[in-house]
Amino acid sequence: MLIGYQGVEGSYSEMACRTFAGDGSYEMKGCPTFKALVDDLMRDRVDYIALPVENSTSGPITRTIDLMKYLEVDAVEEIYVKIDHALITRKPVAIEELTEVYSHPEALEQCYSYLSSHPHLEVREYSDTADAVRMVKASDDPTVAAIAGSHAAEMYGMNVARENISDNPYNTTRFLFFRKGAKPRLKNTNKTSLYIETDHSTGSLNEILNIFSRHGINLLNLTSRPIQHKPFSYGFFIDVEKGTDDTLHYALDDIEKVSRYINILGTYQKGKIPSYEGVLVNE
């Protein structure tokens, strides 16, 4: 079985894949972009893909979830990965001597306060955290740095100039693992992700929320996203605390009657949020 992820070896997505694989005989394949990753899944080049869909600091990762709106896919597992961003350089160097820092846009956003405290640093977006480390390693310029996990610094033989630079010391990313196609829903599940478009009439979203409430279903997340080619119209990504049972089935039947479009993206077991015991809080 082949698992795809965005980035290179040493990225947080690859860490999530290793957790998903467990002791199974899985191979892993890195992709340069999320779109290429999703294309690989839909063209049967990989069996599963890892998509980061939400971060405890920066919120929903819309560049990934937007790709899944209209696809026939099935989320089968939810995995949380603790994010420990570090400032990484080729060799030990004073922060004042650094000129540029590279990382994935999400990582840069999650370290906004730290970077703002060093305004002399030029912040540069890069395709992936671990790939930024590889780029800095290959550079002849000792004044450039990357932001990635300390494990990536160790993997590529780099120097950790400063650990624990995330704004949120409890920084965690939620990943969903998708397979292609509509499959029989997994048994003994307790969470479902779906995407819904209403007719945008007055009270249409409220009607859907009332259906969930009427059936006793707890909403865990509601994210609105613009619909392409329909200015100022929105669809909604929703996570609910229900799996494969009749309650959810009846609720979805009622929602289909009042929605223009509904796509069940997966029903799975809730992932385990990491322990934060002993986490260092930035002063």
Side-chain angles (χ1 to χ4, degrees):
M1 302 291 276
L2 184 60
I3 311 171
Y5 64 93
Q6 188 273 326
V8 300
E9 189 177 7
S11 67
Y12 292 107
S13 290
E14 192 228 8
M15 289 179 62
C17 288
R18 292 189 182 278
T19 301
F20 176 75
D23 297 327
S25 56
Y26 290 90
E27 295 182 1
M28 301 177 197
K29 174 189 177 184
C31 292
T33 66
F34 288 120
K35 187 178 186 308
L37 177 64
V38 173
D39 284 345
D40 273 359
L41 178 67
M42 302 313 292
R43 295 174 184 269
D44 298 312
R45 294 171 182 156
V46 295
D47 298 296
Y48 297 93
I49 62 170
L51 280 187
V53 296
E54 187 178 6
N55 178 266
S56 60
T57 300
S58 53
I61 303 174
T62 55
R63 69 182 69 200
T64 64
I65 59 177
D66 281 349
L67 294 171
M68 314 307 284
K69 290 178 181 177
Y70 307 115
L71 298 182
E72 193 173 86
V73 293
D74 184 30
V76 297
E77 189 164 345
E78 176 182 70
I79 290 175
Y80 291 88
V81 174
K82 177 75 174 66
I83 306 298
D84 293 309
H85 289 315
L87 185 69
I88 297 170
T89 57
R90 291 178 64 202
K91 296 180 180 179
V93 60
I95 183 68
E96 294 76 19
E97 296 178 27
L98 295 176
T99 59
E100 295 178 318
V101 59
Y102 291 80
S103 195
H104 190 277
E106 297 289 339
L108 295 173
E109 183 177 353
Q110 293 159 19
C111 300
Y112 176 81
S113 295
Y114 178 79
L115 294 172
S116 296
S117 68
H118 300 287
H120 70 285
L121 285 175
E122 291 287 339
V123 176
R124 309 287 191 192
E125 293 186 358
Y126 211 72
S127 59
D128 174 65
T129 54
D131 207 18
V133 175
R134 293 203 312 180
M135 183 274 293
V136 169
K137 181 177 182 178
S139 171
D140 292 329
D141 187 351
T143 70
V144 298
I147 290 176
S150 298
H151 66 282
E154 181 179 357
M155 178 176 294
Y156 293 108
M158 298 284 278
N159 173 68
V160 175
R162 170 69 190 270
E163 292 186 294
N164 187 39
I165 65 171
S166 297
D167 295 349
N168 181 357
Y170 308 108
N171 193 12
T172 303
T173 294
R174 172 184 167 228
F175 288 83
L176 286 180
F177 282 78
F178 290 92
R179 59 185 176 180
K180 178 184 173 182
K183 305 285 197 306
R185 294 184 194 170
L186 302 176
K187 296 181 179 180
N188 302 317
T189 57
N190 55 15
K191 190 171 181 179
T192 297
S193 294
L194 55 153
Y195 174 72
I196 297 174
E197 291 179 4
T198 69
D199 61 7
H200 307 294
S201 60
T202 302
S204 56
L205 175 60
N206 188 57
E207 186 174 11
I208 289 173
L209 299 182
N210 283 336
I211 290 172
F212 282 126
S213 177
R214 191 163 64 245
H215 287 277
I217 296 175
N218 183 37
L219 266 68
L220 300 172
N221 183 43
L222 172 66
T223 301
S224 66
R225 297 299 299 148
I227 300 173
Q228 285 188 333
H229 312 304
K230 293 183 179 180
F232 306 105
S233 297
Y234 297 88
F236 303 93
F237 286 97
I238 298 175
D239 294 330
V240 298
E241 199 173 23
K242 278 290 181 182
T244 48
D245 60 15
D246 289 341
T247 303
L248 180 63
H249 175 77
Y250 294 138
L252 294 178
D253 277 350
D254 289 346
I255 288 172
E256 284 192 41
K257 297 172 186 175
V258 298
S259 300
R260 295 182 62 181
Y261 175 78
I262 180 170
N263 186 7
I264 300 171
L265 298 171
T267 299
Y268 46 90
Q269 189 72 15
K270 286 192 287 186
K272 182 180 180 181
I273 297 176
S275 169
Y276 301 112
E277 184 177 353
V279 167
L280 296 176
V281 177
N282 287 324
E283 297 296 336

